[in-house]
Amino acid sequence: MRRPRFAIMALTLLCASVATSASAPVITKTYSYFNIRGLTGSDLERELSKHGPLLNSTGIRHPGATKIKLGGSVDYRSSDGRCRVLDAKVTLETHLTLPRWTDRNRADRDIVMIWDTLSSDIKRHEERHAEIARQYARKLEKALEALRPERTCQQMEVRVEATSKAIIEAHAADQQRFDRVEAASFERRMLRMLRMKVKKHNNRS
């Protein structure tokens, strides 16, 4: 029996629970927060730019980030002249970094409403990155388990590596596509969320 480990991919993207089972990837999700201060919109913008997570891919700080580590191992065995996959186990770690506003209780109601809208959108964005990663972790494990037998385990190892590489690259492309779509619709989305909050506030008044 051989157990090759395919490369772990680490992504940090814009924008704790554990789930395990015999037929699903091992998935973990954790959170951390960075504090920002201020009482005006300009204060919050400055603090986010100063204290938000720094992404190597962009060289600048962002309001939130999701770090993804995708990896795992495949067990296979040679018998009767064929090498077959016995088991594939994919692991996924996602870590979300989100902002926390420490001066919320001292700020004007309008600024609080804007912040609640913005912070909700930041969290939704990062959670979506984590969900995309979960979808690809499941897809990767199913693809590895479905590999047909090869004549030798050396050939099987090549198939495992090629399959892993293709799905990991597709995952990265989907994450980047999501960021592009989100960036293009940010202003429209924020205005819609603000209108909804104003309407709810007026209904309670």
Side-chain angles (χ1 to χ4, degrees):
M1 182 185 298
R2 304 184 63 183
R3 170 171 284 194
R5 294 190 175 274
F6 44 89
I8 289 178
M9 178 187 66
L11 294 179
T12 303
L13 303 156
L14 290 179
C15 5
S17 60
V18 179
T20 63
S21 75
S23 59
V26 178
I27 299 174
T28 62
K29 181 167 66 174
T30 56
Y31 298 85
S32 63
Y33 300 87
F34 63 94
N35 291 334
I36 62 170
R37 305 190 64 178
L39 298 176
T40 68
S42 297
D43 291 340
L44 298 180
E45 183 179 2
R46 183 187 64 251
E47 289 281 291
L48 287 171
S49 299
K50 182 178 179 180
H51 299 293
L54 178 65
L55 303 189
N56 293 332
S57 58
T58 64
I60 59 177
R61 295 185 180 275
H62 294 275
T66 300
K67 186 175 182 179
I68 297 168
K69 291 184 178 180
L70 180 62
S73 62
V74 180
D75 292 342
Y76 47 82
R77 175 180 295 169
S78 181
S79 62
D80 301 325
R82 308 291 283 178
C83 187
R84 296 173 173 81
V85 170
L86 299 179
D87 182 58
K89 179 56 62 181
V90 170
T91 61
L92 171 65
E93 300 175 22
T94 56
H95 182 80
L96 283 64
T97 303
L98 302 169
R100 180 164 49 198
W101 183 23
T102 60
D103 291 329
R104 175 192 173 90
N105 293 335
R106 300 196 298 121
D108 291 339
R109 182 177 298 178
D110 289 346
I111 298 300
V112 171
M113 185 177 298
I114 292 172
W115 171 255
D116 286 349
T117 301
L118 177 61
S119 61
S120 175
D121 194 59
I122 292 171
K123 186 175 188 297
R124 178 204 57 79
H125 181 95
E126 302 308 330
E127 292 285 2
R128 180 55 185 157
H129 274 306
E131 176 57 30
I132 292 172
R134 284 193 291 272
Q135 292 172 1
Y136 273 89
R138 298 184 190 106
K139 182 180 296 186
L140 177 56
E141 189 163 277
K142 288 180 180 178
L144 293 172
E145 291 177 342
L147 288 176
R148 294 181 178 180
E150 294 286 348
R151 290 185 178 181
T152 67
C153 285
Q154 287 78 12
Q155 290 175 319
M156 178 59 75
E157 187 166 354
V158 171
R159 286 282 302 280
V160 166
E161 291 177 355
T163 300
S164 302
K165 183 175 183 291
I167 293 177
I168 285 172
E169 289 177 349
H171 168 237
D174 250 9
Q175 297 283 16
Q176 293 167 4
R177 188 179 305 110
F178 172 65
D179 271 336
R180 289 195 299 271
V181 171
E182 288 279 290
S185 64
F186 175 77
E187 184 175 352
R188 182 172 65 253
R189 190 171 62 253
M190 286 296 295
L191 287 173
R192 183 174 65 252
M193 293 176 68
L194 282 170
R195 291 191 191 103
M196 290 174 61
K197 282 187 175 292
V198 169
K199 184 177 181 181
K200 289 181 180 179
H201 172 73
N202 291 338
N203 290 338
R204 289 196 298 266
S205 299

